[in-house]
Amino acid sequence: MHERIVDLLKKNHLSITESRKKILSHFFDANGALAHADIEQKSGTEFDRVTIYRTLQTFVEKGIIHTIPTTDNSVRYALCKDECSAGHHHDDHVHFMCDECGTTYCLDHVTVPKVALPDGFKAMQNDLVVSGLCNKCS
Amino acid sequence: MHERIVDLLKKNHLSITESRKKILSHFFDANGALAHADIEQKSGTEFDRVTIYRTLQTFVEKGIIHTIPTTDNSVRYALCKDECSAGHHHDDHVHFMCDECGTTYCLDHVTVPKVALPDGFKAMQNDLVVSGLCNKCS
DNA sequence: ATATATTTTGCAACAATGTTGCATTGTTAT
DNA sequence: ATAACAATGCAACATTGTTGCAAAATATAT
């Protein structure tokens, strides 16, 4: 697992640093998505707040993680599947937010159905945000 | 139009105040969704920042407007259709965010397709966020 | 292995966004 | 008109996110 993290960083031409390794491992350990605050909590005072912001930003740019649109408008991040392309990734996601425990799941195996848009609208990316009760809370 | 605003406030057992009328009229005038900053800009120094926050909060609670999950994680609000029920509203929305001009549209007439969730997951609300180019920018 | 170039980090300062308590003002009901 | 109630403005504060720059860590070339 640790090797996989280093490989992932190398593949994306990123310097192998403690903060990047640790933050990335938190994503591998987590079953759901993580918010900035979650990572800050897990890391303690190990890294500066700014470092976490910049690391997350870098990971998003490289397509290692992606941001999740949420109904409560908190910023959350989740690991991308290998197929996620960097930058303007045209890939669709289904996310599930539990109203009870707040956990956010990235449902990779569910495909987003295409919808018919009004004339002149061109869809580049589709994100479906489903909220309700997760399998642990129902 | 102005009558409709007063009626809407009365129907929701809210006091008829200048700020509520003005803020609500901004939503009726806007073709897209509004962020807190948009309203602050449109209102100038007429109302306190806190009043705008509280007004938006009240409108959301009453089901007059709803928050929109966005890919860039900025908080946006849009008018609910009449069918929107207050509180835990089980109603689905399709929103379109233009990557070019940033305008967010609430596509009321497009229905959100139901997706199959893993066992134990119960969907209460579905929000589909489509991003790309709107009819003015394509 | 060492020196150099490059990248990343931490710190400080700042900007933006959102929240809370309380006295004052405005709205509603009697 | 008056009393009861609700909403507003102000001030102070908490949280979240951003930027510039010197110091430290990492990568590259010798």
Side-chain angles (χ1 to χ4, degrees), chain B residues 21-72:
Chain B
K21 282 190 287 184
K22 282 270 176 67
I23 292 175
L24 204 40
S25 73
H26 287 146
F27 278 104
F28 278 106
D29 294 346
N31 58 340
L34 297 176
H36 173 97
D38 296 327
I39 295 162
E40 206 171 333
Q41 218 178 329
K42 284 176 193 291
S43 305
T45 56
E46 203 174 352
F47 315 115
D48 195 83
R49 224 160 44 86
V50 179
T51 301
I52 299 176
Y53 277 114
R54 288 198 265 229
T55 303
L56 290 172
Q57 209 170 288
T58 304
F59 286 172
V60 170
E61 277 162 13
K62 294 293 185 178
I64 298 172
I65 60 176
H66 61 271
T67 60
I68 299 181
T70 60
T71 41
D72 66 348

Side-chain angles (χ1 to χ4, degrees), chain A:
Chain A
M1 177 61 100
H2 211 264
E3 282 309 301
R4 194 175 158 192
I5 286 174
V6 171
D7 287 348
L8 194 48
L9 290 173
K10 274 187 185 165
K11 202 173 70 183
N12 286 285
H13 310 291
L14 293 173
S15 301
I16 317 293
T17 66
E18 274 309 303
S19 49
R20 285 178 181 160
K21 282 191 286 184
K22 283 269 177 63
I23 292 174
L24 204 41
S25 74
H26 286 145
F27 279 102
F28 279 106
D29 293 346
N31 58 340
L34 297 176
H36 173 96
D38 296 327
I39 295 163
E40 207 171 332
Q41 218 178 328
K42 284 175 193 290
S43 305
T45 55
E46 202 174 353
F47 314 115
D48 194 83
R49 223 160 44 84
V50 180
T51 300
I52 299 175
Y53 277 115
R54 289 198 265 229
T55 303
L56 290 173
Q57 211 169 286
T58 303
F59 285 173
V60 170
E61 278 161 15
K62 294 292 185 178
I64 298 172
I65 60 175
H66 62 270
T67 60
I68 299 180
T70 60
T71 42
D72 67 347
N73 282 290
S74 59
V75 189
R76 288 173 194 236
Y77 304 87
L79 275 177
C80 289
K81 291 179 294 183
D82 298 332
E83 304 91 53
C84 261
S85 53
H88 292 285
H89 45 122
H90 303 218
D91 73 313
D92 303 343
H93 288 276
V94 178
H95 292 108
F96 187 94
M97 289 188 68
C98 182
D99 293 331
E100 192 71 25
C101 64
T103 307
T104 303
Y105 303 87
C106 186
L107 304 178
D108 284 331
H109 40 291
V110 182
T111 49
V112 183
K114 294 281 173 295
V115 296
L117 298 174
D119 275 359
F121 285 78
K122 282 184 190 130
M124 300 294 281
Q125 182 164 357
N126 299 277
D127 283 278
L128 181 58
V129 186
V130 183
S131 55
L133 293 177
C134 76
N135 54 354
K136 288 174 188 159
C137 295
S138 62

